[in-house]
Amino acid sequence: MTRRLTSSHLQQLEKAWLLGTQRGPPPAPPGFPSDPHALAALAWRAHQLQLTVAAPRSTDLPSPIEAPDDPRPPFPDPLRPALRRLVIAADARSQTSLLTAVAWWIRDAGVRLHPFDTWAMDVAELAPCMGPYEAWVAAQTGQPSDDPATAPTDETWETYGPAHRVRWLAGRREQDPEAALDLLRACWGSERADVRRRLLEALATNLGSYDRAFLEGLANDRSKKVQEHASILLARIPGSEQHAATREVLAETISVKRGLRGPELLIAAGADMRQVLLTVAHFHPYDLADALGFDRALILGNGDAPALCPAFAVGALRHDDDALVDAILGQPATRTVPLSLWLDLLDGVSPEQARSIAPGLVAGRGAATLLADADTAAEWAALMQGPLTVPGALALRGTLEYQAVLDALTTESGPTVAEAIRGAAVLIPPAGARDALTELEARGGMAAPLIQALWRLLADLHEVSVDPASPGR
Amino acid sequence: MALTLDTIQELAPDQKSLKAAGKLLQPAKWPLAAVSQERGLAWGECQGSGSTPYRAVLDLNDHGYRCTCPSRKFPCKHVLALGWRVAETGLPDGTPPEWVEEWLTRRRGRRAGAIPGRASAPSAPKDLAAAVTPEAEPPAEEVAARAERAAKATRRRVERRERAMLAGMDELQTWVADVLGEGLGQFEEQAVDRCRSAAARLVDAQCGGLARWVDTLPAGMFDQPGAHRARWLMQELGLIILAVEAYRRLDRLSPALQHDVRRLVGWNQRRQDLLEDPDALRVSGTWTVLGVHSEAQVDNLIRHETWLRHHSSSQWAALVDHMPLSGRTGAPFHVGEVLEAELVYYPSAVPLRALLGQRSPDAPHAPARGALQHGITSISAAWSEAQALRARLPWLPSVPLVLDQVQIARRGRRFVVTQPARPGTFLPVSSEADAALLALGATGPATIAGLLREAAFQPLAAWSTCGWWSA
């Protein structure tokens, strides 16, 4: 005899299964007296549910997803795997530098990221090349952007990623430095050391005496890097111990010498040159001149201490004194400063600031040492802004300069990969990347595979953007 | 630095590694092996015990290396064997594939003086020649006697296991009856402890498959919205009982379904047995990797499920591998990778799980539209197809599908797959606020491949107006 489970039987059984039978055995379907049949009914019901549920339907129609138009051509398809590999390969230490470098070069090449690649990467770092996508992506995924609709507020800024928080906090410092400090103070105790270190960067904007107490409190911070950075910031605040101590050290180290050509600045023999320059680079040059009692005119005439040029230039850059930066870069002494020293000092400023100084720096150096004529120096400067062709020798010369830094990568005291990547992006123009790569590969080194990959990608990208018939297209 | 046999001997961590490498020198063990003299690289795929091969790469200049095997010897036997083959017989020249390029990009700069594989402490003496000296063969009579003893022991072991498993299943049914008696609505609070102890008893009864299933019930249940948990549990327990009842009536099932049920409760089929089975389903040709799903398991293993689709027949296949959670656990293949290979399927009512058999090095590097052809053009038809497959194999966890001319859209906070022509029918997508899905949705209608798990669709890869997309 065939016995069937009716829907009312099923309802009764399901109710019993869900609510229980007060620790008694589960009920069997009517006509099936034994326990095993109770479980068989469960199995049958499970399988029946698999087969009878219909595909979901609704009269409430789904909304289509629409992205904004971007007229720029997409990033070349054949180069996408290399870009993805590069981003995957970068570790936390080098990713910011790497993505920033990539973003600049993509923007300069006049292309937009492939829509399917923007998601795999940190939108904040790629902002320079995102175009109209940035605000849209941010709005869709709950990430911040410069669009007021998605930008952080005093109430929400803590929920964003470190890169956005630093950027936003620096902007907040421009509006109201004390309110921004209060916001930082409120979240400080719960932040990780690396985030605390990055957030301190924002305090450099509109640094003032109101920051002193907070920074002095960081002398006992759990992170040595935070302690060091706080100490550097304090050295720029008049009235602080660090400021006085720094002034004292600099006063002992930097002196004015009366020479045949008039007064010149002189760094004391035996001083730790790197430390002196790093310290000088934190002051506005005029403030330093006033504090140490030397004539401001010597900032542009320190012929016997050319190493002070980049330190003064970076100091002026930090204080947004573009006119003074240009004036320093224009003086002959800058031409004799090794490029590695510039890189070392530029590491202390934001990538945007480093990028802004690069054309002037290269043009200034080019007239005397890099190039045969001044016209090519101007071309070099233009290269930093867009994809033009460049004489191979010129690119090679820049590469050779840069190799001094790469050499240092093989020693413990050399710059980190992150520093070197930023240098690679700032100082090698797109058209020079292929020569830079060739030169680096010819050295047979394994020193910086990430830089090799970066230059290979950027060289390919540049060639595609200047020559549509390139195999990379 | 040229690669010589002396270098291989020096790189080896010990004599055992050299001996193990010596057994991997036959070309048959390497479906894929090549060098690039220009770049100074050698790479290859060596078939291990899993469904996918281990991938080894060696820098011929500085002897840096990488292998995907979980060995704790550095370098492992695969890297040593690869280098050994390069130094002894050489390998054909080729272009480094994507996974080699990725390794190269990931490599960190080395500080001066550091040479991989050369420990500072003096190591025990190693001898390459001794590593390939064959051991003396025992007399033929002894070999036959040993084989007979082994066969008897295996039979006894199988009988013992069969008894233990049936007893374990009895206990499992009692446990399910107890859970039902108490009411599924009450189960949530004690789910983790009770499932863990039931799973432990199933492990003792050598029902590994059922043990894993029961152990993962709480995780699956807590993935459901609160109001649906009891009914979800009811369905899972029902399918477990269905598997137990099917095992008790194994002789009444079709041969293919018998294999499914045996695997489900815990019997494994050895790789070698499957490869040598003349009746096994084999499909050769071009395959594209459409998705890799990796999941940590409670037994400290990570399970990699690699989904492939055949270009001309549109057949799907899943390669399943288990790796130790503590070791290097990268997925064996990259999404979008194209293989020219023969896949051998485990016997099943719905053949999906397979092993990688013969492999040809000549495969295109980029994924092609061909991987997603012959898609289903209606969501209702796709749903029906999934139900038809589940009618044949009720324990099918995922149904792979290719949906043609569909679009990712939004329904409130969730994504759905819709058909522009019939917008009323949709498949819910199993992820929320996924930025990659937004990008795919913004490109308009596309051909989307994915897995239907329960009632939710998980997109794996797609071909759209912007080209190839992967999750």
Side-chain angles (χ1 to χ4, degrees):
Chain A
M1 187 178 76
T2 305
R3 286 162 289 191
R4 288 188 175 277
L5 278 175
T6 63
S7 58
S8 71
H9 289 150
L10 277 174
Q11 275 179 5
Q12 283 171 22
L13 284 173
E14 277 190 24
K15 194 174 169 190
W17 294 334
L18 295 174
L19 298 178
T21 49
Q22 296 183 335
R23 298 194 177 274
F32 294 82
S34 64
D35 282 355
H37 284 122
L39 294 184
L42 177 75
W44 181 83
R45 179 62 176 152
H47 189 39
Q48 189 203 30
L49 284 172
Q50 284 186 311
L51 305 182
T52 52
V53 177
R57 290 189 64 82
S58 171
T59 49
D60 172 21
L61 296 184
S63 340
I65 299 165
E66 285 169 8
D69 284 335
D70 188 338
R72 296 173 297 172
F75 190 85
D77 212 42
L79 303 186
R80 286 176 59 205
L83 176 63
R84 257 188 112 85
R85 270 202 306 270
L86 200 63
V87 174
I88 291 168
D91 57 18
R93 286 176 305 144
S94 53
Q95 197 163 41
T96 302
S97 301
L98 185 78
L99 289 180
T100 307
V102 166
W104 282 335
W105 287 48
I106 290 175
R107 183 196 58 192
D108 291 351
V111 298
R112 63 182 159 92
L113 273 182
H114 191 283
F116 293 165
D117 291 335
T118 55
W119 318 96
M121 304 170 190
D122 187 328
V123 175
E125 312 297 357
L126 288 174
C129 68
M130 288 284 283
Y133 255 64
E134 190 199 1
W136 184 74
V137 171
Q140 298 286 323
T141 58
Q143 293 185 61
S145 76
D146 291 334
D147 183 339
T150 54
T153 64
D154 284 4
E155 288 71 37
T156 62
W157 79 287
E158 284 183 51
T159 61
Y160 292 86
H164 277 102
R165 294 174 70 190
V166 173
R167 199 166 76 174
W168 180 82
L169 195 63
R172 194 75 178 83
R173 290 277 297 180
E174 280 175 9
Q175 298 164 353
D176 185 348
E178 289 179 70
L181 177 65
D182 288 341
L183 290 172
L184 183 61
R185 209 195 297 266
C187 71
W188 188 258
S190 56
E191 300 294 351
R192 292 194 325 256
D194 59 322
V195 177
R196 292 203 302 278
R197 160 73 183 78
R198 290 186 70 177
L199 287 171
L200 273 188
E201 287 171 19
L203 284 198
T205 306
N206 273 336
L207 188 70
S209 55
Y210 34 79
D211 298 312
R212 189 172 146 192
F214 174 70
L215 290 170
E216 283 174 345
L218 303 185
N220 298 319
D221 192 274
R222 298 186 301 280
S223 159
K224 199 163 165 40
K225 291 209 164 194
V226 170
Q227 288 178 21
E228 284 171 3
H229 199 78
S231 175
I232 288 169
L233 290 173
L234 278 169
R236 291 166 55 187
I237 302 177
S240 72
E241 264 180 46
Q242 285 81 354
H243 186 269
T246 305
R247 222 178 73 178
E248 202 174 310
V249 169
L250 290 180
E252 284 171 9
T253 316
I254 300 174
S255 57
V256 180
K257 182 186 81 168
R258 301 275 160 197
L260 290 174
R261 288 169 292 175
E264 288 176 343
L265 292 179
L266 182 70
I267 298 177
D272 180 344
M273 178 71 92
R274 182 173 180 271
Q275 201 52 49
V276 169
L277 297 179
L278 286 174
T279 311
V280 168
H282 280 284
F283 292 90
H284 189 290
Y286 290 158
D287 292 345
L288 194 71
D290 297 345
L292 300 185
F294 64 81
D295 189 345
R296 287 182 175 193
L298 286 178
I299 289 162
L300 298 176
N302 52 333
D304 281 4
L308 281 170
C309 285
F312 285 149
V314 173
L317 192 67
R318 276 211 169 96
H319 291 83
D320 299 323
D321 191 340
D322 293 342
L324 185 57
V325 172
D326 288 345
I328 294 170
L329 290 179
Q331 61 182 326
T334 57
R335 299 169 197 161
T336 57
V337 179
L339 213 50
S340 54
L341 183 57
W342 280 102
L343 281 177
D344 199 10
L345 288 163
L346 284 172
D347 186 48
V349 302
S350 71
E352 287 76 16
Q353 283 179 318
R355 177 75 165 177
S356 73
I357 202 174
L361 166 63
V362 176
R365 291 171 56 72
T369 59
L370 284 176
L371 308 165
D373 61 276
D375 288 346
T376 339
E379 189 180 353
W380 179 289
L383 282 169
M384 304 306 293
Q385 307 298 331
L388 305 175
T389 52
V390 64
L394 173 61
L396 191 59
R397 188 73 184 94
T399 306
L400 290 171
E401 289 280 345
Y402 188 65
Q403 278 168 12
V405 180
L406 294 179
D407 283 342
L409 275 172
T410 52
T411 67
E412 291 297 336
S413 60
T416 63
V417 171
E419 288 162 358
I421 286 172
R422 196 157 77 177
V426 168
L427 291 163
I428 301 296
R434 179 70 67 200
D435 286 328
L437 176 67
T438 308
E439 186 63 28
L440 194 60
E441 284 176 343
R443 292 151 62 92
M446 250 296 298
L450 208 56
I451 293 176
Q452 288 183 29
L454 174 72
W455 281 348
R456 186 173 296 118
L457 173 69
L458 299 183
D460 288 346
L461 177 60
H462 171 71
E463 282 155 20
V464 167
S465 60
V466 295
D467 177 13
S470 154
R473 172 66 75 184
Chain B
M1 227 185 302
L3 193 68
T4 63
L5 289 176
D6 286 345
T7 317
I8 299 299
Q9 187 171 293
E10 200 179 335
L11 282 173
D14 51 33
Q15 181 65 22
K16 274 187 182 173
S17 300
L18 269 183
K19 198 167 175 61
K23 292 178 183 167
L24 298 175
L25 294 179
Q26 305 97 312
K29 299 267 185 191
W30 295 82
L32 195 76
V35 290
S36 166
Q37 295 295 351
E38 186 193 346
R39 311 265 306 266
L41 290 167
W43 64 91
E45 294 185 352
C46 184
Q47 191 57 61
S49 53
S51 65
T52 52
Y54 298 126
R55 289 179 153 175
V57 54
L58 173 64
D59 189 316
L60 303 178
N61 296 315
D62 65 12
H63 308 151
Y65 56 84
R66 152 112 180 130
C67 181
T68 56
C69 79
S71 169
R72 289 171 190 273
K73 296 266 181 83
F74 302 105
C76 66
K77 60 183 178 181
H78 309 104
V79 170
L80 290 173
L82 178 69
W84 196 333
R85 290 191 65 198
V86 173
E88 198 168 58
T89 57
L91 291 172
D93 216 54
T95 309
E98 178 66 20
W99 55 272
V100 173
E101 293 286 1
E102 192 181 310
W103 172 74
L104 279 177
T105 313
R106 274 176 191 269
R107 288 189 78 185
R108 288 288 166 265
R110 223 183 41 235
R111 296 296 179 190
I115 297 176
R118 296 186 189 189
S120 51
S123 58
K126 295 161 285 182
D127 182 1
L128 206 67
V132 283
T133 308
E135 286 169 10
E137 286 279 329
E141 305 83 54
E142 195 183 324
V143 172
R146 272 189 201 172
E148 197 181 331
R149 281 200 299 274
K152 269 188 188 170
T154 305
R155 272 198 303 277
R156 278 199 302 273
R157 218 168 31 244
V158 168
E159 284 166 11
R160 262 202 314 274
R161 181 172 179 190
E162 195 74 54
R163 283 196 298 274
M165 288 175 83
L166 287 169
M169 289 180 207
D170 284 344
E171 213 179 322
L172 175 64
Q173 284 186 302
T174 307
W175 181 79
V176 174
D178 285 348
V179 170
L180 288 180
E182 290 161 28
L184 296 173
Q186 316 296 316
F187 188 66
E188 204 174 301
E189 287 170 16
Q190 328 143 19
V192 174
D193 289 343
R194 292 192 63 182
C195 288
R196 180 64 47 87
S197 64
R201 286 199 296 277
L202 285 165
V203 169
D204 291 345
Q206 296 182 273
C207 298
L210 290 174
R212 269 193 298 279
W213 195 350
V214 171
D215 213 4
T216 52
L217 280 177
M221 183 174 71
F222 289 118
D223 273 351
Q224 308 297 317
H228 295 178
R229 286 179 186 160
R231 284 187 74 83
W232 180 88
L233 187 64
M234 180 189 87
Q235 194 159 350
E236 286 297 302
L237 290 176
L239 291 176
I240 288 174
I241 294 298
L242 191 63
V244 169
E245 291 296 332
Y247 190 73
R248 292 188 193 287
R249 296 165 174 77
L250 213 52
D251 53 344
R252 288 156 64 179
L253 306 180
S254 69
L257 199 54
Q258 285 183 18
H259 282 284
D260 284 313
V261 174
R262 282 174 62 80
R263 269 198 303 278
L264 201 61
V265 298
W267 289 100
N268 290 323
Q269 186 168 10
R270 289 194 325 141
R271 171 188 165 79
Q272 204 52 36
D273 292 347
L274 179 62
L275 290 178
E276 288 168 3
D277 181 358
D279 297 328
L281 171 65
R282 290 158 200 272
V283 181
S284 302
T286 310
W287 298 84
T288 294
V289 177
L290 293 183
V292 179
H293 179 73
S294 300
E295 194 174 68
Q297 295 187 165
V298 285
D299 48 5
N300 285 332
L301 291 176
I302 187 157
R303 182 178 196 271
H304 294 296
E305 199 175 83
T306 307
W307 286 91
L308 304 105
R309 196 162 189 257
H310 192 253
H311 282 215
S312 51
S313 74
S314 306
Q315 175 95 19
W316 283 83
L319 307 176
V320 178
D321 277 293
H322 293 89
M323 309 280 273
L325 198 56
S326 55
R328 287 170 286 176
T329 51
F333 291 107
H334 297 284
V335 177
E337 208 170 331
V338 184
L339 315 176
E340 211 43 62
E342 178 192 69
L343 262 60
V344 186
Y345 284 80
Y346 285 89
S348 168
V350 180
L352 282 174
R353 189 172 166 188
L355 286 177
L356 197 56
Q358 296 297 317
R359 176 89 189 275
S360 156
D362 308 319
H365 280 283
R369 174 80 180 85
L372 298 180
Q373 61 189 345
H374 309 308
I376 301 169
T377 50
S378 138
I379 287 177
S380 307
W383 187 267
S384 303
E385 180 169 320
Q387 287 187 331
L389 292 178
R390 287 199 171 117
R392 280 157 57 191
L393 185 61
W395 308 280
L396 197 60
S398 310
V399 178
L401 296 167
V402 173
L403 302 168
D404 227 355
Q405 288 298 305
V406 289
Q407 188 164 359
I408 299 289
R410 276 193 136 152
R411 198 162 176 271
R413 285 181 54 77
R414 296 196 69 92
F415 288 112
V416 293
V417 178
T418 64
Q419 273 178 282
R422 297 192 193 97
T425 309
F426 63 89
L427 283 179
V429 171
S430 55
S431 54
E432 260 184 77
D434 185 332
L437 280 172
L438 268 174
L440 178 60
T443 62
T447 302
I448 305 180
L451 302 175
L452 189 63
R453 294 181 190 270
E454 296 174 20
F457 186 70
Q458 180 196 351
L460 296 176
W463 193 271
S464 81
T465 50
C466 281
W468 172 261
W469 174 93
S470 61

